[in-house]
Amino acid sequence: MQIVLNSVVSMHYRVATSEGEQVDASTPDAPLTFLHGHGQIIPGLEESLTGKVEGHVADLTIAPEKAYGAYDDGLDLRVTKDAFPAEIQPRLLPGFRFMAEHPTAEGQQVMFTVAKVDEQGVYVSGNHPLAGKTLLFHVEVVGVRAASAHELEHGHAHGGPGCGHEDPGHDHGQEHKHGGNCGHQH
Ligand code: ZN
């Protein structure tokens, strides 16, 4: 069965940057399972998998534009501490994250992470940690099947290990807990 729009794909993978930094990998008993064609994995990976079949093994080099985007210097900012609400200020430590409007693209929300705080202010970055990085993937497709009507209704694959979706009757009214190996791009 070929991978097409709405296939449920399971694959083992590992990924590193072109600089040799290990980024992520599936574990032997828990392949990544995702609904193909819905942007749940990076575009370059999704494109390369389309039309492939179970058993497909590949080494892929994916440019930033097809991964987490180019690095945007305009998203590295220094702001004064008092630009933040008073109740937030004590929490402004490296790693603290918050949503704010893009400094130039009006209306676009960006997740910022605090990098550093000193007497000059708070240094924040809205770049994804993998922005600007070329990624080297090793992938191995271990399963391809058609999505169920229920999965299509939800817009994601069910039954992947660690996905929290083993119960096929889970409540649509509640936000899904997408912990673990759920096949979602974060
Ligand atoms: Zn669901």
PDB file of all heavy atoms in Angstrom, residues 64-99:
ATOM      1  N   PRO A  64      16.442  23.762   5.716  1.00  0.00           N
ATOM      2  CA  PRO A  64      15.614  24.464   6.714  1.00  0.00           C
ATOM      3  C   PRO A  64      14.238  24.876   6.190  1.00  0.00           C
ATOM      4  O   PRO A  64      13.250  24.792   6.909  1.00  0.00           O
ATOM      5  CB  PRO A  64      16.443  25.715   7.052  1.00  0.00           C
ATOM      6  CG  PRO A  64      17.840  25.375   6.693  1.00  0.00           C
ATOM      7  CD  PRO A  64      17.773  24.348   5.591  1.00  0.00           C
ATOM      8  N   GLU A  65      14.185  25.294   4.924  1.00  0.00           N
ATOM      9  CA  GLU A  65      12.925  25.769   4.353  1.00  0.00           C
ATOM     10  C   GLU A  65      11.866  24.676   4.323  1.00  0.00           C
ATOM     11  O   GLU A  65      10.671  24.949   4.299  1.00  0.00           O
ATOM     12  CB  GLU A  65      13.148  26.300   2.928  1.00  0.00           C
ATOM     13  CG  GLU A  65      13.974  27.584   2.862  1.00  0.00           C
ATOM     14  CD  GLU A  65      15.444  27.401   3.251  1.00  0.00           C
ATOM     15  OE1 GLU A  65      15.997  26.296   3.069  1.00  0.00           O
ATOM     16  OE2 GLU A  65      16.031  28.369   3.767  1.00  0.00           O
ATOM     17  N   LYS A  66      12.323  23.402   4.283  1.00  0.00           N
ATOM     18  CA  LYS A  66      11.386  22.272   4.284  1.00  0.00           C
ATOM     19  C   LYS A  66      11.341  21.608   5.661  1.00  0.00           C
ATOM     20  O   LYS A  66      10.781  20.530   5.825  1.00  0.00           O
ATOM     21  CB  LYS A  66      11.808  21.229   3.239  1.00  0.00           C
ATOM     22  CG  LYS A  66      11.740  21.729   1.808  1.00  0.00           C
ATOM     23  CD  LYS A  66      10.314  21.688   1.300  1.00  0.00           C
ATOM     24  CE  LYS A  66      10.269  22.082  -0.178  1.00  0.00           C
ATOM     25  NZ  LYS A  66       8.900  21.934  -0.724  1.00  0.00           N
ATOM     26  N   ALA A  67      11.989  22.272   6.621  1.00  0.00           N
ATOM     27  CA  ALA A  67      11.988  21.719   7.980  1.00  0.00           C
ATOM     28  C   ALA A  67      11.357  22.757   8.913  1.00  0.00           C
ATOM     29  O   ALA A  67      10.155  22.977   8.841  1.00  0.00           O
ATOM     30  CB  ALA A  67      13.411  21.331   8.396  1.00  0.00           C
ATOM     31  N   TYR A  68      12.157  23.420   9.734  1.00  0.00           N
ATOM     32  CA  TYR A  68      11.594  24.367  10.699  1.00  0.00           C
ATOM     33  C   TYR A  68      11.773  25.822  10.285  1.00  0.00           C
ATOM     34  O   TYR A  68      11.636  26.725  11.104  1.00  0.00           O
ATOM     35  CB  TYR A  68      12.178  24.093  12.085  1.00  0.00           C
ATOM     36  CG  TYR A  68      11.685  22.781  12.643  1.00  0.00           C
ATOM     37  CD1 TYR A  68      12.401  21.613  12.455  1.00  0.00           C
ATOM     38  CD2 TYR A  68      10.450  22.710  13.289  1.00  0.00           C
ATOM     39  CE1 TYR A  68      11.923  20.405  12.932  1.00  0.00           C
ATOM     40  CE2 TYR A  68       9.956  21.516  13.771  1.00  0.00           C
ATOM     41  CZ  TYR A  68      10.702  20.361  13.590  1.00  0.00           C
ATOM     42  OH  TYR A  68      10.222  19.163  14.059  1.00  0.00           O
ATOM     43  N   GLY A  69      12.089  26.036   9.006  1.00  0.00           N
ATOM     44  CA  GLY A  69      12.158  27.398   8.490  1.00  0.00           C
ATOM     45  C   GLY A  69      13.534  28.021   8.625  1.00  0.00           C
ATOM     46  O   GLY A  69      14.401  27.530   9.350  1.00  0.00           O
ATOM     47  N   ALA A  70      13.728  29.116   7.900  1.00  0.00           N
ATOM     48  CA  ALA A  70      14.979  29.861   7.974  1.00  0.00           C
ATOM     49  C   ALA A  70      15.074  30.551   9.331  1.00  0.00           C
ATOM     50  O   ALA A  70      14.066  30.771   9.996  1.00  0.00           O
ATOM     51  CB  ALA A  70      15.024  30.891   6.852  1.00  0.00           C
ATOM     52  N   TYR A  71      16.290  30.865   9.737  1.00  0.00           N
ATOM     53  CA  TYR A  71      16.478  31.596  10.988  1.00  0.00           C
ATOM     54  C   TYR A  71      16.120  33.053  10.771  1.00  0.00           C
ATOM     55  O   TYR A  71      16.570  33.675   9.805  1.00  0.00           O
ATOM     56  CB  TYR A  71      17.930  31.466  11.457  1.00  0.00           C
ATOM     57  CG  TYR A  71      18.079  31.805  12.920  1.00  0.00           C
ATOM     58  CD1 TYR A  71      17.947  30.814  13.877  1.00  0.00           C
ATOM     59  CD2 TYR A  71      18.307  33.108  13.323  1.00  0.00           C
ATOM     60  CE1 TYR A  71      18.046  31.121  15.233  1.00  0.00           C
ATOM     61  CE2 TYR A  71      18.412  33.424  14.670  1.00  0.00           C
ATOM     62  CZ  TYR A  71      18.285  32.428  15.620  1.00  0.00           C
ATOM     63  OH  TYR A  71      18.378  32.728  16.949  1.00  0.00           O
ATOM     64  N   ASP A  72      15.283  33.612  11.627  1.00  0.00           N
ATOM     65  CA  ASP A  72      14.818  34.988  11.485  1.00  0.00           C
ATOM     66  C   ASP A  72      15.440  35.848  12.590  1.00  0.00           C
ATOM     67  O   ASP A  72      15.008  35.807  13.742  1.00  0.00           O
ATOM     68  CB  ASP A  72      13.278  34.992  11.582  1.00  0.00           C
ATOM     69  CG  ASP A  72      12.689  36.383  11.392  1.00  0.00           C
ATOM     70  OD1 ASP A  72      13.455  37.374  11.331  1.00  0.00           O
ATOM     71  OD2 ASP A  72      11.453  36.470  11.306  1.00  0.00           O
ATOM     72  N   ASP A  73      16.471  36.621  12.216  1.00  0.00           N
ATOM     73  CA  ASP A  73      17.149  37.478  13.199  1.00  0.00           C
ATOM     74  C   ASP A  73      16.189  38.468  13.855  1.00  0.00           C
ATOM     75  O   ASP A  73      16.409  38.900  14.983  1.00  0.00           O
ATOM     76  CB  ASP A  73      18.284  38.266  12.531  1.00  0.00           C
ATOM     77  CG  ASP A  73      19.447  37.364  12.142  1.00  0.00           C
ATOM     78  OD1 ASP A  73      19.761  36.440  12.911  1.00  0.00           O
ATOM     79  OD2 ASP A  73      20.028  37.588  11.059  1.00  0.00           O
ATOM     80  N   GLY A  74      15.131  38.806  13.104  1.00  0.00           N
ATOM     81  CA  GLY A  74      14.143  39.753  13.628  1.00  0.00           C
ATOM     82  C   GLY A  74      13.335  39.196  14.784  1.00  0.00           C
ATOM     83  O   GLY A  74      12.562  39.925  15.415  1.00  0.00           O
ATOM     84  N   LEU A  75      13.491  37.911  15.047  1.00  0.00           N
ATOM     85  CA  LEU A  75      12.769  37.303  16.173  1.00  0.00           C
ATOM     86  C   LEU A  75      13.648  37.148  17.417  1.00  0.00           C
ATOM     87  O   LEU A  75      13.219  36.586  18.413  1.00  0.00           O
ATOM     88  CB  LEU A  75      12.199  35.937  15.767  1.00  0.00           C
ATOM     89  CG  LEU A  75      11.009  35.974  14.802  1.00  0.00           C
ATOM     90  CD1 LEU A  75      10.603  34.569  14.409  1.00  0.00           C
ATOM     91  CD2 LEU A  75       9.838  36.733  15.408  1.00  0.00           C
ATOM     92  N   ASP A  76      14.892  37.623  17.325  1.00  0.00           N
ATOM     93  CA  ASP A  76      15.760  37.651  18.503  1.00  0.00           C
ATOM     94  C   ASP A  76      15.706  39.074  19.058  1.00  0.00           C
ATOM     95  O   ASP A  76      16.207  40.013  18.425  1.00  0.00           O
ATOM     96  CB  ASP A  76      17.198  37.276  18.137  1.00  0.00           C
ATOM     97  CG  ASP A  76      17.316  35.801  17.783  1.00  0.00           C
ATOM     98  OD1 ASP A  76      16.404  35.025  18.129  1.00  0.00           O
ATOM     99  OD2 ASP A  76      18.326  35.432  17.156  1.00  0.00           O
ATOM    100  N   LEU A  77      15.109  39.231  20.197  1.00  0.00           N
ATOM    101  CA  LEU A  77      14.811  40.561  20.705  1.00  0.00           C
ATOM    102  C   LEU A  77      15.324  40.746  22.129  1.00  0.00           C
ATOM    103  O   LEU A  77      15.454  39.775  22.881  1.00  0.00           O
ATOM    104  CB  LEU A  77      13.290  40.790  20.731  1.00  0.00           C
ATOM    105  CG  LEU A  77      12.538  40.595  19.419  1.00  0.00           C
ATOM    106  CD1 LEU A  77      11.045  40.616  19.670  1.00  0.00           C
ATOM    107  CD2 LEU A  77      12.925  41.669  18.416  1.00  0.00           C
ATOM    108  N   ARG A  78      15.597  42.007  22.472  1.00  0.00           N
ATOM    109  CA  ARG A  78      15.846  42.350  23.872  1.00  0.00           C
ATOM    110  C   ARG A  78      14.730  43.282  24.297  1.00  0.00           C
ATOM    111  O   ARG A  78      14.476  44.276  23.626  1.00  0.00           O
ATOM    112  CB  ARG A  78      17.201  43.044  24.021  1.00  0.00           C
ATOM    113  CG  ARG A  78      17.600  43.240  25.476  1.00  0.00           C
ATOM    114  CD  ARG A  78      18.892  43.994  25.611  1.00  0.00           C
ATOM    115  NE  ARG A  78      18.700  45.410  25.272  1.00  0.00           N
ATOM    116  CZ  ARG A  78      19.691  46.249  25.013  1.00  0.00           C
ATOM    117  NH1 ARG A  78      20.931  45.847  25.022  1.00  0.00           N
ATOM    118  NH2 ARG A  78      19.442  47.516  24.724  1.00  0.00           N
ATOM    119  N   VAL A  79      14.065  42.926  25.354  1.00  0.00           N
ATOM    120  CA  VAL A  79      12.959  43.754  25.838  1.00  0.00           C
ATOM    121  C   VAL A  79      13.194  44.082  27.314  1.00  0.00           C
ATOM    122  O   VAL A  79      13.911  43.373  28.010  1.00  0.00           O
ATOM    123  CB  VAL A  79      11.590  43.055  25.653  1.00  0.00           C
ATOM    124  CG1 VAL A  79      11.180  43.047  24.196  1.00  0.00           C
ATOM    125  CG2 VAL A  79      11.622  41.623  26.164  1.00  0.00           C
ATOM    126  N   THR A  80      12.581  45.176  27.747  1.00  0.00           N
ATOM    127  CA  THR A  80      12.752  45.551  29.151  1.00  0.00           C
ATOM    128  C   THR A  80      11.817  44.699  30.008  1.00  0.00           C
ATOM    129  O   THR A  80      10.747  44.298  29.565  1.00  0.00           O
ATOM    130  CB  THR A  80      12.432  47.041  29.380  1.00  0.00           C
ATOM    131  OG1 THR A  80      11.099  47.284  28.944  1.00  0.00           O
ATOM    132  CG2 THR A  80      13.393  47.923  28.586  1.00  0.00           C
ATOM    133  N   LYS A  81      12.266  44.455  31.214  1.00  0.00           N
ATOM    134  CA  LYS A  81      11.487  43.596  32.111  1.00  0.00           C
ATOM    135  C   LYS A  81      10.096  44.174  32.363  1.00  0.00           C
ATOM    136  O   LYS A  81       9.114  43.446  32.451  1.00  0.00           O
ATOM    137  CB  LYS A  81      12.246  43.433  33.441  1.00  0.00           C
ATOM    138  CG  LYS A  81      12.020  42.096  34.083  1.00  0.00           C
ATOM    139  CD  LYS A  81      13.021  41.853  35.207  1.00  0.00           C
ATOM    140  CE  LYS A  81      12.916  40.402  35.663  1.00  0.00           C
ATOM    141  NZ  LYS A  81      13.885  40.064  36.707  1.00  0.00           N
ATOM    142  N   ASP A  82      10.023  45.499  32.445  1.00  0.00           N
ATOM    143  CA  ASP A  82       8.719  46.091  32.790  1.00  0.00           C
ATOM    144  C   ASP A  82       7.750  46.117  31.601  1.00  0.00           C
ATOM    145  O   ASP A  82       6.630  46.589  31.727  1.00  0.00           O
ATOM    146  CB  ASP A  82       8.869  47.472  33.436  1.00  0.00           C
ATOM    147  CG  ASP A  82       9.628  48.455  32.555  1.00  0.00           C
ATOM    148  OD1 ASP A  82       9.764  48.186  31.340  1.00  0.00           O
ATOM    149  OD2 ASP A  82      10.086  49.481  33.090  1.00  0.00           O
ATOM    150  N   ALA A  83       8.199  45.581  30.451  1.00  0.00           N
ATOM    151  CA  ALA A  83       7.254  45.387  29.344  1.00  0.00           C
ATOM    152  C   ALA A  83       6.339  44.193  29.620  1.00  0.00           C
ATOM    153  O   ALA A  83       5.341  43.989  28.924  1.00  0.00           O
ATOM    154  CB  ALA A  83       8.002  45.165  28.029  1.00  0.00           C
ATOM    155  N   PHE A  84       6.699  43.389  30.622  1.00  0.00           N
ATOM    156  CA  PHE A  84       5.898  42.204  30.962  1.00  0.00           C
ATOM    157  C   PHE A  84       4.963  42.518  32.126  1.00  0.00           C
ATOM    158  O   PHE A  84       5.306  43.354  32.984  1.00  0.00           O
ATOM    159  CB  PHE A  84       6.826  41.046  31.367  1.00  0.00           C
ATOM    160  CG  PHE A  84       7.667  40.518  30.237  1.00  0.00           C
ATOM    161  CD1 PHE A  84       8.898  41.093  29.947  1.00  0.00           C
ATOM    162  CD2 PHE A  84       7.219  39.443  29.468  1.00  0.00           C
ATOM    163  CE1 PHE A  84       9.672  40.608  28.896  1.00  0.00           C
ATOM    164  CE2 PHE A  84       8.001  38.962  28.432  1.00  0.00           C
ATOM    165  CZ  PHE A  84       9.221  39.545  28.139  1.00  0.00           C
ATOM    166  N   PRO A  85       3.835  41.834  32.199  1.00  0.00           N
ATOM    167  CA  PRO A  85       2.945  42.023  33.361  1.00  0.00           C
ATOM    168  C   PRO A  85       3.685  41.708  34.664  1.00  0.00           C
ATOM    169  O   PRO A  85       4.540  40.817  34.694  1.00  0.00           O
ATOM    170  CB  PRO A  85       1.831  40.987  33.121  1.00  0.00           C
ATOM    171  CG  PRO A  85       1.874  40.678  31.658  1.00  0.00           C
ATOM    172  CD  PRO A  85       3.301  40.864  31.238  1.00  0.00           C
ATOM    173  N   ALA A  86       3.352  42.426  35.718  1.00  0.00           N
ATOM    174  CA  ALA A  86       4.067  42.311  37.002  1.00  0.00           C
ATOM    175  C   ALA A  86       4.097  40.869  37.501  1.00  0.00           C
ATOM    176  O   ALA A  86       5.111  40.411  38.036  1.00  0.00           O
ATOM    177  CB  ALA A  86       3.414  43.224  38.038  1.00  0.00           C
ATOM    178  N   GLU A  87       2.998  40.127  37.299  1.00  0.00           N
ATOM    179  CA  GLU A  87       2.947  38.766  37.847  1.00  0.00           C
ATOM    180  C   GLU A  87       3.844  37.807  37.067  1.00  0.00           C
ATOM    181  O   GLU A  87       4.208  36.741  37.554  1.00  0.00           O
ATOM    182  CB  GLU A  87       1.496  38.244  37.909  1.00  0.00           C
ATOM    183  CG  GLU A  87       0.825  38.008  36.572  1.00  0.00           C
ATOM    184  CD  GLU A  87       0.111  39.244  36.025  1.00  0.00           C
ATOM    185  OE1 GLU A  87       0.456  40.388  36.429  1.00  0.00           O
ATOM    186  OE2 GLU A  87      -0.790  39.071  35.174  1.00  0.00           O
ATOM    187  N   ILE A  88       4.215  38.208  35.849  1.00  0.00           N
ATOM    188  CA  ILE A  88       5.086  37.369  35.011  1.00  0.00           C
ATOM    189  C   ILE A  88       6.564  37.626  35.333  1.00  0.00           C
ATOM    190  O   ILE A  88       7.398  36.734  35.230  1.00  0.00           O
ATOM    191  CB  ILE A  88       4.835  37.672  33.504  1.00  0.00           C
ATOM    192  CG1 ILE A  88       3.410  37.286  33.097  1.00  0.00           C
ATOM    193  CG2 ILE A  88       5.850  36.964  32.606  1.00  0.00           C
ATOM    194  CD1 ILE A  88       3.122  35.805  33.139  1.00  0.00           C
ATOM    195  N   GLN A  89       6.868  38.834  35.739  1.00  0.00           N
ATOM    196  CA  GLN A  89       8.277  39.237  35.863  1.00  0.00           C
ATOM    197  C   GLN A  89       9.141  38.295  36.707  1.00  0.00           C
ATOM    198  O   GLN A  89      10.251  37.985  36.306  1.00  0.00           O
ATOM    199  CB  GLN A  89       8.357  40.684  36.365  1.00  0.00           C
ATOM    200  CG  GLN A  89       7.910  41.672  35.286  1.00  0.00           C
ATOM    201  CD  GLN A  89       7.860  43.102  35.766  1.00  0.00           C
ATOM    202  OE1 GLN A  89       8.503  43.473  36.751  1.00  0.00           O
ATOM    203  NE2 GLN A  89       7.085  43.926  35.076  1.00  0.00           N
ATOM    204  N   PRO A  90       8.614  37.781  37.863  1.00  0.00           N
ATOM    205  CA  PRO A  90       9.468  36.856  38.636  1.00  0.00           C
ATOM    206  C   PRO A  90       9.761  35.549  37.894  1.00  0.00           C
ATOM    207  O   PRO A  90      10.683  34.821  38.267  1.00  0.00           O
ATOM    208  CB  PRO A  90       8.631  36.570  39.903  1.00  0.00           C
ATOM    209  CG  PRO A  90       7.566  37.608  39.939  1.00  0.00           C
ATOM    210  CD  PRO A  90       7.332  38.046  38.528  1.00  0.00           C
ATOM    211  N   ARG A  91       8.970  35.239  36.865  1.00  0.00           N
ATOM    212  CA  ARG A  91       9.134  33.957  36.157  1.00  0.00           C
ATOM    213  C   ARG A  91      10.013  34.102  34.925  1.00  0.00           C
ATOM    214  O   ARG A  91      10.210  33.146  34.170  1.00  0.00           O
ATOM    215  CB  ARG A  91       7.755  33.411  35.755  1.00  0.00           C
ATOM    216  CG  ARG A  91       6.872  33.126  36.968  1.00  0.00           C
ATOM    217  CD  ARG A  91       5.428  32.901  36.580  1.00  0.00           C
ATOM    218  NE  ARG A  91       5.272  31.733  35.725  1.00  0.00           N
ATOM    219  CZ  ARG A  91       4.191  31.464  34.994  1.00  0.00           C
ATOM    220  NH1 ARG A  91       3.171  32.297  35.026  1.00  0.00           N
ATOM    221  NH2 ARG A  91       4.134  30.395  34.257  1.00  0.00           N
ATOM    222  N   LEU A  92      10.543  35.297  34.673  1.00  0.00           N
ATOM    223  CA  LEU A  92      11.359  35.527  33.480  1.00  0.00           C
ATOM    224  C   LEU A  92      12.763  34.970  33.687  1.00  0.00           C
ATOM    225  O   LEU A  92      13.674  35.669  34.118  1.00  0.00           O
ATOM    226  CB  LEU A  92      11.411  37.016  33.149  1.00  0.00           C
ATOM    227  CG  LEU A  92      10.077  37.604  32.687  1.00  0.00           C
ATOM    228  CD1 LEU A  92      10.179  39.115  32.584  1.00  0.00           C
ATOM    229  CD2 LEU A  92       9.643  36.997  31.355  1.00  0.00           C
ATOM    230  N   LEU A  93      12.885  33.681  33.418  1.00  0.00           N
ATOM    231  CA  LEU A  93      14.154  32.972  33.564  1.00  0.00           C
ATOM    232  C   LEU A  93      14.404  32.231  32.265  1.00  0.00           C
ATOM    233  O   LEU A  93      13.469  31.963  31.509  1.00  0.00           O
ATOM    234  CB  LEU A  93      14.056  31.965  34.718  1.00  0.00           C
ATOM    235  CG  LEU A  93      13.761  32.570  36.099  1.00  0.00           C
ATOM    236  CD1 LEU A  93      13.353  31.492  37.081  1.00  0.00           C
ATOM    237  CD2 LEU A  93      14.975  33.357  36.581  1.00  0.00           C
ATOM    238  N   PRO A  94      15.670  31.884  31.975  1.00  0.00           N
ATOM    239  CA  PRO A  94      15.944  31.138  30.734  1.00  0.00           C
ATOM    240  C   PRO A  94      15.035  29.913  30.613  1.00  0.00           C
ATOM    241  O   PRO A  94      14.864  29.160  31.573  1.00  0.00           O
ATOM    242  CB  PRO A  94      17.414  30.738  30.897  1.00  0.00           C
ATOM    243  CG  PRO A  94      17.992  31.829  31.746  1.00  0.00           C
ATOM    244  CD  PRO A  94      16.895  32.191  32.713  1.00  0.00           C
ATOM    245  N   GLY A  95      14.429  29.772  29.449  1.00  0.00           N
ATOM    246  CA  GLY A  95      13.538  28.646  29.208  1.00  0.00           C
ATOM    247  C   GLY A  95      12.070  29.001  29.344  1.00  0.00           C
ATOM    248  O   GLY A  95      11.209  28.271  28.854  1.00  0.00           O
ATOM    249  N   PHE A  96      11.757  30.140  29.994  1.00  0.00           N
ATOM    250  CA  PHE A  96      10.354  30.541  30.122  1.00  0.00           C
ATOM    251  C   PHE A  96       9.788  30.876  28.743  1.00  0.00           C
ATOM    252  O   PHE A  96      10.425  31.545  27.941  1.00  0.00           O
ATOM    253  CB  PHE A  96      10.222  31.757  31.052  1.00  0.00           C
ATOM    254  CG  PHE A  96       8.807  32.214  31.243  1.00  0.00           C
ATOM    255  CD1 PHE A  96       7.946  31.526  32.078  1.00  0.00           C
ATOM    256  CD2 PHE A  96       8.328  33.326  30.556  1.00  0.00           C
ATOM    257  CE1 PHE A  96       6.624  31.936  32.248  1.00  0.00           C
ATOM    258  CE2 PHE A  96       7.006  33.747  30.713  1.00  0.00           C
ATOM    259  CZ  PHE A  96       6.161  33.054  31.566  1.00  0.00           C
ATOM    260  N   ARG A  97       8.584  30.375  28.460  1.00  0.00           N
ATOM    261  CA  ARG A  97       7.987  30.579  27.138  1.00  0.00           C
ATOM    262  C   ARG A  97       6.675  31.347  27.234  1.00  0.00           C
ATOM    263  O   ARG A  97       5.945  31.195  28.208  1.00  0.00           O
ATOM    264  CB  ARG A  97       7.705  29.220  26.482  1.00  0.00           C
ATOM    265  CG  ARG A  97       8.946  28.397  26.302  1.00  0.00           C
ATOM    266  CD  ARG A  97       8.570  26.994  25.880  1.00  0.00           C
ATOM    267  NE  ARG A  97       9.339  26.606  24.724  1.00  0.00           N
ATOM    268  CZ  ARG A  97       8.924  25.768  23.775  1.00  0.00           C
ATOM    269  NH1 ARG A  97       7.726  25.243  23.825  1.00  0.00           N
ATOM    270  NH2 ARG A  97       9.704  25.479  22.764  1.00  0.00           N
ATOM    271  N   PHE A  98       6.432  32.120  26.206  1.00  0.00           N
ATOM    272  CA  PHE A  98       5.171  32.872  26.167  1.00  0.00           C
ATOM    273  C   PHE A  98       4.823  33.176  24.708  1.00  0.00           C
ATOM    274  O   PHE A  98       5.695  33.212  23.839  1.00  0.00           O
ATOM    275  CB  PHE A  98       5.300  34.178  26.975  1.00  0.00           C
ATOM    276  CG  PHE A  98       6.363  35.112  26.463  1.00  0.00           C
ATOM    277  CD1 PHE A  98       6.039  36.124  25.570  1.00  0.00           C
ATOM    278  CD2 PHE A  98       7.702  34.957  26.844  1.00  0.00           C
ATOM    279  CE1 PHE A  98       7.019  36.978  25.077  1.00  0.00           C
ATOM    280  CE2 PHE A  98       8.682  35.809  26.357  1.00  0.00           C
ATOM    281  CZ  PHE A  98       8.338  36.820  25.475  1.00  0.00           C
ATOM    282  N   MET A  99       3.549  33.401  24.451  1.00  0.00           N
ATOM    283  CA  MET A  99       3.096  33.768  23.114  1.00  0.00           C
ATOM    284  C   MET A  99       3.014  35.286  23.022  1.00  0.00           C
ATOM    285  O   MET A  99       2.564  35.953  23.959  1.00  0.00           O
ATOM    286  CB  MET A  99       1.697  33.192  22.842  1.00  0.00           C
ATOM    287  CG  MET A  99       1.617  31.680  22.782  1.00  0.00           C
ATOM    288  SD  MET A  99       2.527  30.956  21.400  1.00  0.00           S
ATOM    289  CE  MET A  99       1.502  31.483  20.018  1.00  0.00           C
TER     290      MET A  99
END
